[in-house]
Amino acid sequence: MKKRCLILLIGLFCFVPTFVYGATGSISIKCDSNILVTGDSTNCIISGSSDEEVTAISVSLNASNIAFVSFTPSSKWVGDDISNGKIDIYTADDISGNFDIGTLKIKVNDGVYNIDDSVELKDVLYYNSSYSSYMPMGEAYFETLKDYDPYEHI
């Protein structure tokens, strides 16, 4: 009986991880202007960081009264199609630390007044060269946009 208990305990210890490492990172978006009126456009810089090497990034874009006009990746990244509301970029390099992802140009839809909306980055995934992925955590995933109120400045 003692022998069975000893074997069971040894077996349990074999399945207990002694060290678990999780990759950490962040993504943020910052727009040149966050006070906009109908028809206005602005550029938003998307940047990220990772303590692991990143070779691809996938991000879904979300906003209700904003049109996503274009996306220009920074010089290290390839991929600029945002027609489906998603950014999918990749690089031949292994990138880690702080890095620029690219510039997103947005425009307030015509006929939209009293905007109180956000450009949200969601379903964010970083991939490494072995195609493993993780979700970065940390900084802001959204930029809040407001309508210009002329009475506020009187």
Side-chain angles (χ1 to χ4, degrees):
M1 184 69 175
K2 286 183 181 181
K3 188 174 183 178
R4 284 186 185 173
C5 288
L6 183 60
I7 291 172
L8 180 64
L9 284 175
I10 291 172
L12 286 175
F13 283 116
C14 289
F15 293 109
V16 175
T18 57
F19 177 74
V20 176
Y21 175 76
T24 60
S26 66
I27 190 166
S28 64
I29 182 168
K30 181 68 178 148
C31 297
D32 292 342
S33 175
N34 62 354
I35 299 177
L36 304 168
V37 294
T38 186
D40 279 357
S41 62
T42 190
N43 290 322
C44 301
I45 306 298
I46 302 173
S47 52
S49 70
S50 175
D51 64 350
E52 288 281 313
E53 293 175 342
V54 177
T55 58
I57 299 173
S58 179
V59 179
S60 294
L61 306 169
N62 187 36
S64 55
N65 297 311
I66 307 289
F68 302 113
V69 177
S70 65
F71 175 74
T72 306
S74 72
S75 61
K76 296 180 180 181
W77 299 99
V78 177
D80 60 4
D81 180 25
I82 57 167
S83 59
N84 60 357
K86 192 170 184 179
I87 297 172
D88 288 310
I89 57 176
Y90 62 93
T91 182
D93 302 326
D94 291 331
I95 298 174
S96 62
N98 296 322
F99 50 86
D100 289 331
I101 295 172
T103 302
L104 177 67
K105 184 172 184 174
I106 60 172
K107 180 183 178 200
V108 177
N109 294 335
D110 291 332
V112 174
Y113 299 96
N114 298 323
I115 184 173
D116 188 6
D117 202 354
S118 297
V119 176
E120 179 185 14
L121 308 176
K122 60 184 212 169
D123 303 325
V124 180
L125 289 174
Y126 285 177
Y127 293 88
N128 63 22
S129 58
S130 62
Y131 305 107
S132 296
S133 66
Y134 73 94
M135 298 176 72
M137 305 295 279
E139 297 179 40
Y141 280 69
F142 63 92
E143 175 76 6
T144 301
L145 305 171
K146 297 279 185 190
D147 191 7
Y148 177 76
D149 184 358
Y151 300 108
E152 194 176 282
H153 302 285
I154 296 181

